[in-house]
Amino acid sequence: MTPMLQNRESAGPDEAMEKQAARADLMPIDLSGLRRGNTGIDYAHRFDSGRPGPEVLVAAVVHGNELCGVHALVRALATEPRPERGALTFCFCNVAAYLGFDPAAPARARFVDEDFNRLWDAETLDSPRRSSELDRARRIRPLIEQADQLLDLHSMQTGGEPLMLAGTAERGRELAIRVGFPRIVVADPGHAAGRRMRDFGGFGAAHGTRTALLAECGQHRDPAAADNATEVLARFLAATGTLRPEAARRICDWPERPAPRVIEVTDRVTIRGQSFRFVGNPENLDMIEKAGTVIGHDGGRPVETPYDNCVLIMPSRRLATGQTAVRLGRYVA
């Protein structure tokens, strides 16, 4: 694949971090044979049981440098999955960014023009504004709007334990626990910089039945992230009743896992100043024992933990004004 992206977000430290964190290099898969699906939308494949039931959607490569979901969907497609009821759709989302992936500068393939996962509100989607990501989001919007249950597969800048982001509604938390992996379920409200796909429409509503999960499956370039994404996908399809357990296990014969624990996000640190720096180099799920501990400085303003035993969730290395530097939470289950 040759680089073709015009976007060049500030990627110097991000690139160095991503290269250093990768123990081995997860590489893209050629998707040219999967472009023509059966939905009228490129790179979207739908399997209909012919029986009444929910519409289930699994999304991958929302960010072009997050390769694990592509591997998981390709592995699942190889088993020719057939839902027990309702319908199952696999969608490769931001393929334009993915096709520009360059192993020498992987973070630059995150998007072409703007973050695909900060566009998911009706005002943005219905606006006259144009970008590569908005055009694609509008194209796949009907798939998102018809889905009753959604799994969105992602990976992370840094290494560490996978996470399941379940939103704030109880039904999301319950589904994540039924899926059973990742071990850590994060009840989170999203980002100030824009709405994610998993929070779009009824998915983000306090009440209702539509349910969405976002799985952070490991570090971007770590091959284990692809294995984790495949296991999450298989478990999700079994937990939702989309596939019989034996059919789901043909995608991944998952091991026994400890029961998930839940972290409730209470605060998100949104960068307000022109510069932000952490104290030290915090890692995902680091726990800070004492309230009032300074964890960073936002334009000279100290950022402190609000309570004892505060958990740092996915501290970012992409530290720009308006972005989330880190989420703060505590174990509740």
Side-chain angles (χ1 to χ4, degrees):
M1 295 185 181
T2 57
M4 52 183 280
L5 307 188
Q6 298 304 309
N7 159 61
R8 289 297 177 261
E9 64 173 318
S10 179
D14 200 31
E15 293 285 10
M17 175 278 305
E18 187 169 329
K19 291 176 185 177
Q20 183 177 11
R23 293 187 292 271
D25 288 340
L26 189 65
M27 296 298 291
I29 299 172
D30 181 5
L31 294 181
S32 58
L34 295 174
R35 177 172 183 172
R36 188 182 295 263
N38 60 348
T39 65
I41 300 170
D42 284 353
Y43 301 104
H45 300 259
R46 187 172 186 269
F47 306 91
D48 194 329
S49 70
R51 304 183 187 93
E55 290 277 347
V56 175
L57 174 67
V58 182
V61 73
V62 160
H63 296 127
N65 63 325
E66 300 183 12
L67 311 180
C68 64
V70 172
H71 285 258
L73 262 60
V74 168
R75 293 174 188 178
L77 285 166
T79 70
E80 300 183 353
R82 294 295 181 269
E84 280 294 299
R85 56 194 179 94
L88 168 63
T89 301
F90 290 158
C91 182
F92 301 90
C93 293
N94 196 357
V95 179
Y98 176 79
L99 292 177
F101 185 88
D102 179 0
R108 297 186 186 185
R110 180 174 171 82
F111 53 76
V112 177
D113 296 317
E114 60 181 323
D115 193 326
F116 187 93
N117 214 27
R118 301 293 184 269
L119 305 176
W120 290 93
D121 61 84
E123 182 179 2
T124 300
L125 292 169
D126 293 337
S127 73
R129 186 161 65 81
R130 296 286 304 275
S131 71
S132 176
E133 278 73 23
L134 262 172
D135 288 349
R136 179 61 174 168
R138 290 165 179 147
R139 189 79 179 99
I140 71 170
R141 181 178 180 178
L143 302 178
I144 311 303
E145 291 183 324
Q146 75 182 9
D148 299 300
Q149 295 168 316
L150 166 70
L151 174 65
D152 188 11
L153 296 168
H154 286 254
S155 55
M156 303 182 286
Q157 294 172 317
T158 57
E161 188 166 355
L163 305 174
M164 184 72 89
L165 308 188
T168 56
E170 186 64 29
R171 64 187 182 276
R173 184 182 308 189
E174 290 173 351
L175 178 56
I177 290 172
R178 289 204 309 275
V179 171
F181 178 73
R183 184 183 68 89
I184 300 297
V185 175
V186 178
D188 69 310
H191 296 279
R195 185 164 295 183
R196 302 168 301 183
M197 182 192 295
R198 65 129 286 120
D199 303 312
F200 179 56
F203 293 135
H207 304 287
T209 59
R210 300 182 69 208
T211 309
L213 300 175
L214 188 160
E216 298 281 4
C217 298
Q219 198 278 331
H220 296 322
R221 303 298 304 282
D222 187 351
D227 297 332
N228 292 336
T230 306
E231 180 176 344
V232 174
L233 167 59
R235 285 175 171 267
F236 175 82
L237 296 180
T240 57
T242 306
L243 296 184
R244 291 180 181 273
E246 57 269 25
R249 285 186 178 275
R250 285 199 290 273
I251 299 172
C252 173
D253 190 13
W254 60 82
E256 291 295 321
R257 299 281 190 182
R261 297 189 67 191
V262 177
I263 297 175
E264 185 177 83
V265 172
T266 61
D267 303 84
R268 63 186 177 203
V269 177
T270 302
I271 300 171
R272 304 299 182 191
Q274 295 301 310
S275 63
F276 184 100
R277 62 180 178 85
F278 283 108
V279 173
N281 188 31
E283 298 293 336
N284 187 33
L285 302 182
D286 278 355
M287 181 180 287
I288 309 302
E289 292 185 0
K290 296 298 182 181
T293 301
V294 176
I295 60 171
H297 294 87
D298 187 357
R301 178 182 63 86
V303 177
E304 301 178 351
T305 52
Y307 43 77
D308 291 347
N309 297 323
C310 180
V311 182
L312 308 186
I313 301 162
M314 296 178 64
S316 180
R317 303 298 183 260
R318 195 176 292 108
L319 300 174
T321 303
Q323 299 298 315
T324 301
V326 64
R327 284 164 278 193
L328 309 178
R330 53 188 163 203
Y331 286 99
V332 296

